[in-house]
Amino acid sequence: MTTEPEHHAAMITEQQPPVPRQVVIFDLDGVVVDSFAVMGEAFSRAYAEVVGIGEAPFEEYQRHQGRYFPDIMRVMGLPLEMEEPFVRESYRLADRVKVYDGVVDVLRTLNERGLRLAIATGKAGERARSLLDVLGLLQHFAHVIGSDEVPRPKPAPDIVRRVLELFDVPADRAIMIGDAPTDLASAQGAGVTAAAALWGCHDGAELLAAGPDVVLRRPSDLLALCPALPGH
């Protein structure tokens, strides 16, 4: 894989699969939605409420993006009690989350082509489904799985394997789109093609260094990898 040719829309390092893909698995934050401004505000409020004075270390929090919130708190040495106000504020601010340009068209096109879509997110499942519902996107996804709904969150492969089980498809029929190294690790651990989404990632160099199978510069690049299934 190379990271240099900016003029290429999508840099594909895999060979064309022998069978068409049937399933597309998306991470949520940084791939489908731009929630970082809302996330930052919720994190700052939670930090002020639980920890007290001082600037909330949101930049450090972002470096752990893709992981389950309690796991990030443990890694950062912050109180787990921050989760309650963080979740509360995230719900309150949900209508301010933005959907990335081009995502709705891509979801609609993939649905029309007969592919089945799922979300595999570091968020709790209930909160992810609520956010997608608020944004009018929930109907595009057959399954929305949160980190609290599998034994081990990302970077473990459990959440991706769970999606494969729900769809009853083998790994070579699926592709996972993520904006963090944890997403790529989870996909590759499950034997699924790991695609790096550069349009919303916090650290592009770190994401590329994680060794994605495919690099996507904009949401529409995904369509070249997911042709219509027979009968669509």
Side-chain angles (χ1 to χ4, degrees):
M1 182 194 70
T2 176
T3 64
E4 295 178 358
E6 292 290 335
H7 60 284
H8 285 184
M11 294 180 291
I12 304 170
T13 60
E14 61 171 6
Q15 294 186 352
Q16 187 66 21
V19 292
R21 290 197 174 89
Q22 297 177 338
V23 169
V24 183
I25 308 168
F26 295 85
D27 178 46
L28 182 55
D29 301 290
V31 175
V32 175
V33 300
D34 181 357
S35 56
F36 296 114
V38 165
M39 196 181 296
E41 183 172 339
F43 185 82
S44 294
R45 288 176 178 265
Y47 187 86
E49 187 172 315
V50 176
V51 179
I53 60 172
E55 182 178 356
F58 183 63
E59 186 173 339
E60 181 182 354
Y61 174 82
Q62 283 186 290
R63 290 200 293 270
H64 301 290
Q65 195 61 42
R67 293 180 180 269
Y68 191 31
F69 187 86
D71 291 343
I72 300 177
M73 294 300 95
R74 294 184 186 97
V75 170
M76 293 180 64
L78 292 174
L80 293 178
E81 290 77 12
M82 281 183 60
E83 182 176 21
E84 189 280 327
F86 178 80
V87 170
R88 182 192 69 226
E89 291 300 302
S90 296
Y91 272 113
R92 184 177 69 84
L93 300 168
D95 62 349
R96 286 169 41 186
V97 171
K98 306 297 183 183
V99 181
Y100 283 110
D101 290 343
V103 164
V104 174
D105 288 340
V106 167
L107 297 178
R108 186 180 299 117
T109 299
L110 291 171
N111 287 153
E112 291 171 351
R113 290 180 178 183
L115 285 95
R116 292 176 289 174
L117 313 184
I119 292 284
T121 176
K123 274 184 167 61
E126 181 180 352
R127 186 154 65 94
R129 290 184 286 272
S130 174
L131 175 60
L132 288 165
D133 191 33
V134 167
L135 298 176
L137 299 178
L138 188 59
Q139 74 273 12
H140 292 291
F141 300 97
H143 299 290
V144 177
I145 309 298
S147 286
D148 61 325
E149 297 170 330
V150 291
R152 299 175 299 167
K154 302 173 194 174
D158 300 34
I159 196 166
V160 177
R161 286 175 177 164
R162 178 59 178 152
V163 173
L164 297 177
E165 290 170 0
L166 289 168
F167 283 127
D168 191 24
V169 296
D172 65 354
R173 301 281 181 110
I175 184 171
M176 166 85 180
I177 321 301
D179 69 312
T182 51
D183 299 319
L184 305 185
S186 184
Q188 291 172 333
V192 167
T193 299
L198 294 185
W199 57 87
C201 67
H202 176 64
D203 188 335
E206 182 183 20
L207 185 62
L208 293 172
D213 301 305
V214 180
V215 178
L216 307 176
R217 298 193 177 281
R218 56 187 64 84
S220 60
D221 293 345
L222 177 60
L223 297 179
L225 302 175
C226 300
L229 293 173
H232 291 83

